[in-house]
Amino acid sequence: MAAGETQVYAKVNSKLKGRRTPSLLDPLLGLGFPAHTALKALAATGRKTAEEAADWLHRHCNDPSLDDPIPQEYALFLCPTGSLLEKLEEFWRESKRQCTKNRAHEVFPHITLCDFFTCEDQKVECLYEALKRAGDRLLGSFPSVVPLVLHSSISYLGFFVSDSSADVIREFAMMFATEAAVLADCTVKPCTKQLHLTLAHKFYPHHQRTLEQLARALHPGHSCQWTAALYSRDMRFVHYQTLRALFQYRPQNVDELTLTPGDYIFVDPTQQDEASEGWVIGVSQRTGCRGFLPENYTERTRECDTWVKHRTYTFSLAVDLNSRKDGDASSRRNGELRPPQRPRSVGSAQALQATIRRKSVLVVRHGERVDQVFGKSWLQQCATPDGKYYRPDLNFPCSLPRRSSGIKDFESDPPLSSCGVFQSRMAGEALRDSGIHVTSVFTSPALRCVQTAKHILEELKLEKKLKIRVEPGIFEWTKWEAGKTTPTLMTLEELKEASFDVCTEYWPAFPLASLMPAESYDEYVDRCAVSVEHIVSSCPQDVGVTLIVGHGSALDSCVRPLLGLPPRDSSDFAQLVRKIPSLGMCFCEENKEGGKWELAAPPVKTLTHGSNSAFNWRNWIPGN
């Protein structure tokens, strides 16, 4: 840059540094907010209105980081709009439905122009000026057509921008970076590599062909206005998981978070040691507060859902979308695309399922266990000095079955709570009303699973027709069990003595004695894969539902091998299992034409309810 031009930029920079927006900052200062927190609120809300910033400040009044000088991170993206965006979003939905979620689903369709960088809160408005200047200078030379070429590899699928158009777009990114450095004192790194619009990333190799077919269905010629969009995110939660609240939750204790439907919660998967089963520790984006929350009140959502859009600059363009792969001339005939192989619609699939009865597998998690409510010391709360059981709370079971080693073995093999029994019966009643035809039942040897199976069968009116087959191979991952030995589980003889109608003639894939303590994750998923294959092969060949009652982990470790999917990463597996509620279900149906299993909607709805805290009448003092 010439010396004279540098001086001009320095003068402009000095003027912009001293400039502020009275219509936004002054009302916040007038309300008594300090300048640094008011600027933080404006940056966190995209500097749209003073009202939004004031609301943000009121919600964050208990935010322990409110006064911390932590700036937002910003990034610049080139985003499609109009019909092309609609087609891309349709591809997002369909690829997720047919091939499950991949990394591309975490962010909206975009071309990255500048990587994330930081900007001080008082200089954010200078970034807007930098975006406007860069856009104005390149508006005349911005390409009227942006050719996109489909590129596919073993773990990536997306559109590459051709060199001629990419050069101009990269020049725009470079200009923005230069302007931002001068006006806002930001270090911005523009993208210098191959510009691309990602369609799928880090997917399973066997999904590549299906994803390519869906990508070729993005028909060329969609008109489009490309928009350069400036987004920000909270740099503290970059590597966290993002949850969205589905239901309202009012805290029962001071260390719990208030949840309102639509709230976003940031959760660090590596910092969950203090959380008990079914709970997580997170930070609320709405309030900035940290606390415990019930995980089954939330769902996993995209990381970009918490990003804030600040300003945009729109280029009017028509898009030429060349959907053939590099070097794949056979994908075109006389300059036209071959008609893509369209997936069968949801409606036609449902109609087909209605006319063809299939062999099915329903995997169900057990009901609420008593130690989930009363903690690991639950047994000390209900045992007399001479080792007999009594019921200290209505949610404790009415009685415990007799065990040869006495009551102490229940500590590692807890029963259902009274609510767990109610949950199991309610699920069984709903299954009966759905009209499904259960032909066989398998359970984990854990008492809570056998109890759940029994109560479901009783509501299905099948307790005298079907015997419960105990399969130790689908027992919980033993690494999660306390102690250096496997839990002492009830034998078939003890279960029969306790009035559980178990089948003594069934030969399991893994005998009870074969369970090893502290097994590795690979050993566990292999055990479950072998067991579920054994279960399916041991069932009658006629149509009907095989009911498998296991642990929350079974909904992943038993279903994925059935669908032909490889095991997921162990850390992802652990986080997924924590979210599965009592009586959570996965339903699989066999496709007779292809000989494969497919995931389908469970025959009944989920069961959701709130907590009910303990009450001590001695602490109740009537008012005057």
Side-chain angles (χ1 to χ4, degrees):
M1 187 181 296
E5 189 175 357
T6 303
Q7 293 177 359
V8 172
Y9 273 108
K11 291 180 180 179
V12 174
N13 187 25
S14 178
K15 291 180 180 179
L16 285 173
K17 282 184 178 179
R19 182 192 304 172
R20 58 187 173 90
T21 308
S23 60
L24 292 180
L25 188 57
D26 282 357
L28 300 176
L29 298 178
L31 291 173
F33 294 112
H36 69 284
T37 58
L39 287 168
K40 173 178 277 195
L42 288 170
T45 56
R47 294 186 72 94
K48 295 178 177 64
T49 66
E51 289 77 11
E52 286 189 41
D55 288 343
W56 187 93
L57 286 166
H58 286 303
R59 293 195 303 268
H60 284 254
C61 61
N62 295 318
D63 184 349
S65 66
L66 183 60
D67 292 318
D68 294 344
I70 304 175
Q72 295 274 309
E73 278 191 329
Y74 298 82
L76 186 64
F77 303 109
L78 189 64
C79 305
T81 63
S83 58
L84 176 58
L85 177 60
E86 294 175 359
K87 291 293 182 180
L88 290 169
E89 289 176 338
E90 182 181 345
F91 172 87
W92 250 247
R93 291 189 294 269
E94 196 62 24
S95 64
K96 186 176 181 180
R97 186 183 70 85
Q98 294 194 35
C99 304
T100 73
K101 187 177 180 180
N102 62 70
R103 283 290 299 168
H105 292 116
E106 289 290 333
V107 187
F108 45 78
H110 71 281
I111 298 172
T112 300
L113 299 182
C114 298
D115 293 334
F116 277 98
F117 60 93
T118 59
C119 178
E120 297 177 16
D121 293 338
Q122 68 270 25
K123 298 177 181 178
V124 173
E125 195 174 4
C126 298
L127 287 181
Y128 306 161
E129 180 69 17
L131 176 60
K132 182 179 183 303
R133 290 187 181 188
D136 289 345
R137 293 178 65 180
L138 261 294
L139 183 60
S141 58
F142 207 87
S144 58
V145 174
V146 177
L148 300 176
V149 180
L150 187 64
H151 175 80
S152 179
S153 68
I154 193 66
S155 62
Y156 176 84
L157 179 71
F159 291 116
F160 282 2
V161 181
S162 64
D163 292 340
S164 57
S165 299
D167 290 341
V168 179
I169 297 174
R170 277 193 288 263
E171 183 180 357
F172 166 71
M174 183 67 72
M175 284 187 176
F176 169 77
T178 302
E179 297 282 357
V182 174
L183 300 178
D185 295 333
C186 295
T187 302
V188 182
K189 183 181 178 182
C191 182
T192 57
K193 299 179 181 179
Q194 172 68 60
L195 295 180
H196 57 276
L197 193 157
T198 300
L199 297 176
H201 182 43
K202 291 188 177 180
F203 47 82
Y204 292 110
H206 61 278
H207 288 153
Q208 182 176 358
R209 184 176 179 182
T210 302
L211 290 169
E212 288 177 355
Q213 290 176 344
L214 292 174
R216 292 193 179 98
L218 293 170
H219 201 272
H222 296 298
S223 61
C224 175
Q225 282 189 328
W226 289 88
T227 296
L230 184 68
Y231 281 85
S232 74
R233 68 183 181 186
D234 194 322
M235 63 188 300
R236 297 174 297 166
F237 308 117
V238 171
H239 300 295
Y240 283 45
Q241 292 180 351
T242 307
L243 306 180
R244 178 171 52 212
L246 300 174
F247 311 102
Q248 185 175 16
Y249 178 76
R250 294 182 179 179
Q252 306 296 315
N253 299 289
V254 294
D255 58 353
E256 296 175 1
L257 282 179
T258 298
L259 295 183
T260 300
D263 282 359
Y264 292 104
I265 311 296
F266 300 109
V267 173
D268 185 355
T270 66
Q271 301 293 325
Q272 300 299 318
D273 294 340
E274 300 177 26
S276 57
E277 183 180 4
W279 292 76
V280 293
I281 305 173
V283 178
S284 170
Q285 185 197 38
R286 184 171 60 87
T287 65
C289 296
R290 182 177 185 269
F292 293 90
L293 63 141
E295 195 170 11
N296 62 343
Y297 276 50
T298 66
E299 66 176 356
R300 183 83 177 268
T301 188
R302 305 184 303 172
E303 68 175 86
C304 70
D305 288 343
T306 61
W307 296 357
V308 178
K309 182 188 285 188
H310 286 255
R311 296 293 184 273
T312 60
Y313 191 99
T314 300
F315 303 94
S316 298
L317 298 174
V319 177
D320 176 21
L321 194 61
N322 182 355
S323 295
R324 63 182 177 86
K325 287 172 58 178
D326 292 338
D328 186 7
S330 63
S331 65
R332 297 174 66 91
R333 292 289 186 270
N334 299 323
E336 296 181 358
L337 286 174
R338 288 180 293 176
Q341 181 178 354
R342 297 187 179 274
R344 181 180 289 137
S345 68
V346 175
S348 62
Q350 291 176 343
L352 183 63
Q353 293 176 15
T355 56
I356 302 178
R357 297 183 65 196
R358 299 180 177 184
K359 188 176 180 181
S360 308
V361 171
L362 178 62
V363 184
V364 181
R365 188 196 177 190
H366 58 75
E368 179 186 84
R369 44 193 278 181
V370 67
D371 63 330
Q372 184 178 340
V373 182
F374 299 102
K376 296 180 180 179
S377 62
W378 71 275
L379 200 56
Q380 284 72 45
Q381 302 174 44
C382 62
T384 62
D386 57 352
K388 295 182 179 180
Y389 173 79
Y390 78 99
R391 192 183 188 191
D393 186 281
L394 290 179
N395 203 17
F396 274 78
C398 296
S399 61
L400 294 178
R402 193 187 70 83
R403 303 182 78 147
S404 58
S405 301
I407 194 174
K408 62 182 179 62
D409 284 341
F410 287 108
E411 186 170 7
S412 59
D413 186 25
L416 294 178
S417 66
S418 297
C419 285
V421 173
F422 172 75
Q423 292 170 337
S424 304
R425 290 192 174 278
M426 182 177 288
E429 180 183 7
L431 289 171
R432 184 189 67 213
D433 293 341
S434 72
I436 69 166
H437 178 52
V438 175
T439 56
S440 53
V441 183
F442 296 80
T443 79
S444 161
L447 175 58
R448 55 193 179 274
C449 298
V450 180
Q451 287 178 309
T452 301
K454 176 187 177 182
H455 294 307
I456 290 177
L457 286 177
E458 288 175 349
E459 292 300 319
L460 287 170
K461 309 302 181 185
L462 295 174
E463 71 276 13
K464 295 181 180 180
K465 297 180 181 179
L466 298 179
K467 290 184 178 294
I468 299 173
R469 307 183 200 182
V470 178
E471 176 52 70
I474 61 173
F475 182 67
E476 186 65 276
W477 185 11
T478 58
K479 180 182 176 181
W480 287 346
E481 297 296 322
K484 296 182 180 180
T485 60
T486 53
T488 302
L489 303 171
M490 294 181 68
T491 64
L492 294 181
E493 290 71 22
E494 288 176 326
L495 290 172
K496 287 185 70 68
E497 184 181 344
S499 300
F500 294 103
D501 194 7
V502 295
C503 179
T504 56
E505 299 175 356
Y506 170 67
W507 287 89
F510 287 83
L512 196 59
S514 68
L515 295 179
M516 302 298 294
E519 64 189 337
S520 68
Y521 178 65
D522 290 339
E523 291 172 335
Y524 165 68
V525 294
D526 288 345
R527 166 164 64 83
C528 290
V530 172
S531 299
V532 76
E533 182 181 358
H534 177 75
I535 288 173
V536 171
S537 62
S538 64
C539 293
Q541 295 301 312
D542 57 338
V543 294
V545 177
T546 297
L547 175 64
I548 299 177
V549 181
H551 309 268
S553 55
L555 272 68
D556 189 75
S557 58
C558 291
V559 171
R560 291 183 72 85
L562 201 60
L563 300 175
L565 298 176
R568 68 175 75 245
D569 182 80
S570 59
S571 60
D572 293 338
F573 169 78
Q575 290 303 312
L576 174 72
V577 170
R578 294 172 66 92
K579 292 185 61 175
I580 298 174
S582 301
L583 275 302
M585 301 181 184
C586 275
F587 190 55
C588 300
E589 293 180 324
E590 185 182 36
N591 187 333
K592 291 185 177 180
E593 297 178 358
K596 296 182 179 180
W597 290 85
E598 300 171 344
L599 203 60
V604 300
K605 302 296 184 181
T606 56
L607 172 63
T608 305
H609 54 76
S611 60
N612 194 44
S613 58
F615 175 73
N616 188 341
W617 64 271
R618 297 180 185 276
N619 297 333
W620 180 257
I621 302 176
N624 294 327

